[in-house]
Amino acid sequence: MQELKSLTHWSWFMLDDEYFLEVKRRVYSALDDSIMQKGVQRGMASFLSNLTENLGHEHVLQLAGEVKEFKRHSISNMAELLKQAVDSIQRNGVAAYIAKDKDDAKSIIKKLTDDDRIIVKSKSMVAEEIGLRNYLISLGKEVWETDLGEFIIQLRGDKPAQMVAPSLHVPREEVARLLSDFFKVDFGKDDLKGMVDAVRNFLREKIAKADTGITGANAISAREGALLTVENEGNIRLTMTLPKKHIVLSSIEKIVPTTTDALKVCLAQSYYAGYTKPTYISLTSTPSGTGDIEKVMVRPAQGSREMHVVLLDNGRSLASSSEFSDMLRCIKCGACQMVCPSYAVMGPSWGGKVYTAAIGLVWTAITESIDEAESLSYFCLSCDACNEVCPVGIDVSGLIKTLRKKGSSNLMNAEGLG
């Protein structure tokens, strides 16, 4: 902790920057938050144990190498793959929309859900990026997060702490207190099964009554227009199939050439997120249907009646031709967050409005602003732990140094010294 406090002292030239001072106050407060640190550090310990086991398997390392190569190709050809994916999705009979920014995405989803009353969501960092839950609630909708971690975040009015485990910073003692208040049941801190059962029963009822289910996608195939998700809870499958309408909100850098490539992204994300194997990988490309009568396809069948896909840009096209283009190869496994010593003590307080930790700074630069990300960059220790664990070889600490250089250059120009 002392290293972090010392680190900020040399950033003397930032002292007049109001946002930097706000970040500094937030980070210093987090250094004294033992409850948050307990949750984060317990999660990190579990993660490291599982990741060590996963990295002992040659096929996991080989898979990461393959994903690294085709993600590099995908980002170099992002515009072409986006066009191909939209064509494929539409050819599947699904409406596809390209949203240039957050407001555009929210406007599209508002029109798609105008007549809906209950909406359920699966965990999605892209949905967090556009503030979708609170936006829909502001329109008078009843909205529920169906992922347990995201449900905890919703009840706390918080932001996700980490890409895969949004409530990482909330230890079991706090979860028990939160759910006891919500369900009016006294859960002990070790009654994990009781807590999970209560949430399961509550959310299953909401999913069954929902008009629309909104999911993300971990990867999208350009050639087949298929959208793949990876999960453990089973809530994504229910969210995409039980409501009459299924909306997929994802982002354009997740498009890869083929469905096989998309499947490899899902597997790599699960392994590097610290799970020994994924419980579910789902592929969806059309609303439900059946060909059981004379092989004639009839829609809908048991699943959703209609399907829409919204693909968000929000700075990604611009980033693809900038010094931050490598970040678009990120598969959002969150491994880099779980080995970061700064994140271990600062938790989600170190990050932008949505994305946290070192990698979150670069995502903040792409989706929010470089100025906001640059103020956060001075709390990185440049230890390179993030680089060493990244499955697709992103030089995260190098990109953070680029952020600092841009900030220094802007300051010198403002002072007439550039």
Side-chain angles (χ1 to χ4, degrees):
M1 294 186 189
Q2 188 56 45
E3 287 179 350
L4 284 169
K5 290 186 176 181
S6 301
L7 183 67
T8 59
H9 292 331
W10 66 266
S11 308
W12 57 269
F13 54 85
M14 296 294 297
L15 289 178
D16 291 333
D17 183 290
E18 286 187 13
Y19 182 67
F20 177 77
L21 292 175
E22 188 272 325
V23 171
K24 187 175 175 181
R25 279 193 291 272
R26 194 195 323 156
V27 165
Y28 274 35
S29 175
L31 297 181
D32 296 323
D33 187 347
S34 60
I35 294 175
M36 176 276 294
Q37 290 171 6
K38 184 187 294 181
V40 170
Q41 290 167 17
R42 283 176 181 170
M44 283 181 154
S46 296
F47 164 82
L48 286 172
S49 173
N50 288 338
L51 182 69
T52 300
E53 180 182 341
N54 290 347
L55 296 185
H57 299 294
E58 183 60 31
H59 72 273
V60 173
L61 301 176
Q62 184 178 341
L63 177 70
E66 291 178 41
V67 173
K68 177 181 177 181
E69 288 309 310
F70 68 70
K71 282 292 288 184
R72 191 189 303 279
H73 167 83
S74 301
I75 299 309
S76 299
N77 298 275
M78 196 163 70
E80 292 80 2
L81 287 176
L82 173 60
K83 182 178 184 309
Q84 187 184 4
V86 169
D87 289 345
S88 299
I89 291 167
Q90 291 175 338
R91 195 165 53 244
N92 292 341
V94 175
Y97 314 82
I98 299 174
K100 65 180 184 300
D101 56 27
K102 300 177 189 179
D103 289 340
D104 200 15
K106 287 190 286 192
S107 174
I108 292 167
I109 293 173
K110 177 181 183 299
K111 289 176 185 172
L112 293 175
T113 59
D114 257 350
D115 297 328
D116 299 338
R117 190 175 65 84
I118 301 178
I119 296 173
V120 289
K121 287 180 66 267
S122 68
K123 179 176 61 190
S124 161
M125 292 306 294
V126 175
E128 291 289 340
E129 196 176 306
I130 70 170
L132 182 59
R133 184 202 318 129
N134 289 336
Y135 173 69
L136 292 172
I137 290 172
S138 76
L139 297 177
K141 316 286 186 190
E142 180 180 344
V143 184
W144 292 102
E145 299 287 350
T146 60
D147 172 87
L148 175 57
E150 198 70 29
F151 180 69
I152 291 169
I153 293 302
Q154 179 177 7
L155 295 186
R156 286 170 58 96
D158 211 342
K159 72 171 187 178
Q162 200 252 354
M163 289 179 171
V164 177
S167 60
L168 180 75
H169 60 311
V170 189
R172 63 176 66 197
E173 295 86 348
E174 292 301 308
V175 175
R177 200 172 351 262
L178 182 75
L179 296 183
S180 294
D181 288 345
F182 183 76
F183 289 114
K184 309 303 180 195
V185 173
D186 189 16
F187 294 111
K189 68 178 178 61
D190 295 324
D191 185 12
L192 302 186
K193 185 176 184 311
M195 289 187 269
V196 172
D197 278 349
V199 173
R200 169 194 163 98
N201 294 335
F202 176 80
L203 289 177
R204 280 197 163 224
E205 184 179 333
K206 295 298 180 185
I207 294 170
K209 292 179 178 176
D211 302 296
T212 291
I214 301 178
T215 69
N218 295 94
I220 303 165
S221 83
R223 190 170 67 188
E224 293 88 1
L227 301 107
L228 278 76
T229 56
V230 56
E231 60 166 327
N232 291 314
E233 294 186 23
N235 65 300
I236 299 179
R237 286 190 166 190
L238 294 174
T239 298
M240 70 169 63
T241 54
L242 285 186
K244 65 183 179 186
K245 191 184 302 172
H246 177 205
I247 299 174
V248 179
L249 171 63
S250 192
S251 49
I252 61 174
E253 88 284 4
K254 293 185 179 175
I255 301 171
V256 292
T258 70
T259 298
T260 303
D261 295 334
L263 176 61
K264 289 178 179 176
V265 170
C266 290
L267 286 170
Q269 200 221 30
S270 181
Y271 290 141
Y272 279 81
Y275 299 105
T276 52
K277 56 182 173 300
T279 304
Y280 302 104
I281 291 180
S282 300
L283 182 157
T284 181
S285 57
T286 68
S288 65
T290 176
D292 278 356
I293 303 175
E294 298 180 353
K295 288 292 180 187
V296 176
M297 183 60 70
V298 178
R299 302 183 191 284
Q302 297 290 336
S304 64
R305 291 172 175 268
E306 59 180 281
M307 181 175 169
H308 305 265
V309 177
V310 182
L311 298 169
L312 179 68
D313 187 319
N314 198 31
R316 289 163 173 84
S317 292
L318 191 63
S320 68
S321 58
S322 77
E323 58 269 65
F324 300 114
S325 63
D326 273 357
M327 183 52 58
L328 299 174
R329 288 192 280 120
C330 174
I331 60 171
K332 294 185 177 173
C333 64
C336 57
Q337 296 171 301
M338 301 299 276
V339 297
C340 175
S342 294
Y343 181 72
V345 292
M346 293 188 286
S349 67
W350 184 39
K353 294 182 181 69
V354 176
Y355 295 103
T356 61
I359 199 160
L361 309 192
V362 191
W363 275 116
T364 298
I366 292 172
T367 61
E368 298 289 340
S369 77
I370 287 178
D371 287 345
E372 184 171 337
E374 187 255 341
S375 291
L376 296 159
S377 70
Y378 295 95
F379 297 90
C380 171
L381 297 174
S382 301
C383 67
D384 292 344
C386 47
N387 299 346
E388 292 171 10
V389 78
C390 178
V392 293
I394 299 172
D395 180 9
V396 180
S397 61
L399 294 175
I400 289 175
K401 288 169 188 165
T402 301
L403 273 174
R404 288 177 183 164
K405 286 178 186 172
K406 290 182 82 72
S408 301
S409 175
N410 291 343
L411 182 67
M412 290 180 73
N413 288 335
E415 296 294 329
L417 301 173

